[in-house]
Amino acid sequence: MPRVKIAAGNWKMNGLAGSVSELDALIAGAAGGAEVVICPPATLIAAFAARARDSRVAIGGQDCHAAASGAHTGDLSAEMLADAGASHVIVGHSERRADHGESDAAVRAKAEAAWRAGLVAIICVGETESSRDAGDTLGVVGRQLRGSVPGGATAANTVIAYEPVWAIGTGRTPTLAEIAEVHDFMRADLASRFGTGAADGFRLLYGGSVKPTNAAEIFAVGNVDGGLVGGASLKAGDFLPIVAAAS
Ligand code: PGA
């Protein structure tokens, strides 16, 4: 079975009520066979999900707490995201790992919380520039995969995003050969844990400075099943060609 590619947009801390016009343009313009997911800030999830109902655009959160409810001021549970209309949630983004000290164990618990609420977990991994310079890219990615992806992961409940930290928001990307090396490694690592058949089903996204100009060549790399896109997902005019490249 060929894997359906995914074009996922991570809006990070961007977007106000008026941004619904970008979602409308995306819904109107998205063509082709790729799955499309937009992860707006939490304040917009309910409005976006209502707008995107019965469209081909799915809505996701950018993080969730591991618990279903409780005394955690400022946090949101996966159940709350689902209740607001989300179907996906990003967990373990490098900005969460860096800004909030999230460990692999914390990310794993968040992925399990996502499943508990019926959400697809988009689990992020990726090396820093110093790790790459030290020749430890595969070591870091392997440790994060093992630590952050729970044993219950399936192709249906989990998407994995490889996002080199040094490529996020910088305009720099690894070479296609470097992307291929990491994605091939991730597929093989998943196969050693989950079996070849199961591992073949997982969608492995690349993220970090994906643009309309480089999306097609990146998505054509073997074992790259689409992208997780930050800056270039904010405007439908930028994101639509990326959606097309994933189709
Ligand atoms: P970028 O961000 O596309 O702006 O580099 C990607 C991400 O952090 O998911």
Side-chain angles (χ1 to χ4, degrees):
M1 278 273 287
R3 293 180 294 270
V4 175
K5 285 188 165 56
I6 301 174
N10 171 14
W11 278 24
K12 310 191 180 186
M13 199 170 72
N14 297 290
L16 299 170
S19 310
V20 76
S21 61
E22 295 299 334
L23 178 68
D24 287 343
L26 182 63
I27 290 169
E35 287 180 25
V36 184
V37 185
I38 289 289
C39 302
T43 47
L44 294 178
I45 288 175
F48 273 35
R51 201 79 165 203
R53 189 171 300 133
D54 299 326
S55 84
R56 53 171 306 162
V57 178
I59 303 300
Q62 298 175 10
D63 175 52
C64 65
H65 195 281
S69 63
H72 303 288
T73 301
D75 278 317
L76 296 169
S77 69
E79 282 77 1
M80 291 169 175
L81 299 176
D83 187 52
S87 54
H88 294 66
V89 62
I90 299 167
V91 295
H93 190 282
S94 62
E95 288 154 14
R96 300 285 319 172
R97 291 178 188 261
D99 293 357
H100 300 273
E102 292 186 4
S103 65
D104 286 324
V107 175
R108 187 168 68 240
K110 288 172 183 234
E112 288 174 332
W115 304 341
R116 184 186 66 221
L119 303 179
V120 174
I122 303 174
I123 304 175
C124 302
V125 299
E127 83 286 0
T128 60
E129 184 154 35
S130 60
S131 296
R132 178 163 282 272
D133 290 345
D136 196 27
T137 297
L138 299 185
V140 169
V141 170
R143 283 192 291 279
Q144 290 185 342
L145 268 188
R146 298 270 166 158
S148 302
V149 178
T154 68
N157 66 21
T158 299
V159 172
I160 295 166
Y162 167 58
E163 298 203 309
V165 176
W166 53 273
I168 294 175
T170 60
R172 297 164 57 207
T173 57
T175 65
L176 298 179
E178 287 168 340
I179 293 173
E181 179 189 30
V182 176
H183 280 245
D184 291 352
F185 166 79
M186 293 199 297
R187 184 81 62 202
D189 196 71
L190 292 167
S192 73
R193 245 181 111 187
F194 297 101
T196 308
D200 273 349
F202 284 100
R203 268 82 62 85
L204 308 181
L205 310 186
Y206 167 79
S209 296
V210 174
K211 308 280 179 218
T213 47
N214 63 15
E217 62 181 19
I218 292 173
F219 298 168
V221 172
N223 284 320
V224 174
D225 305 307
L228 180 56
V229 184
S233 71
L234 293 171
K235 296 278 174 223
D238 292 329
F239 197 50
L240 283 169
I242 295 173
V243 170
S247 296

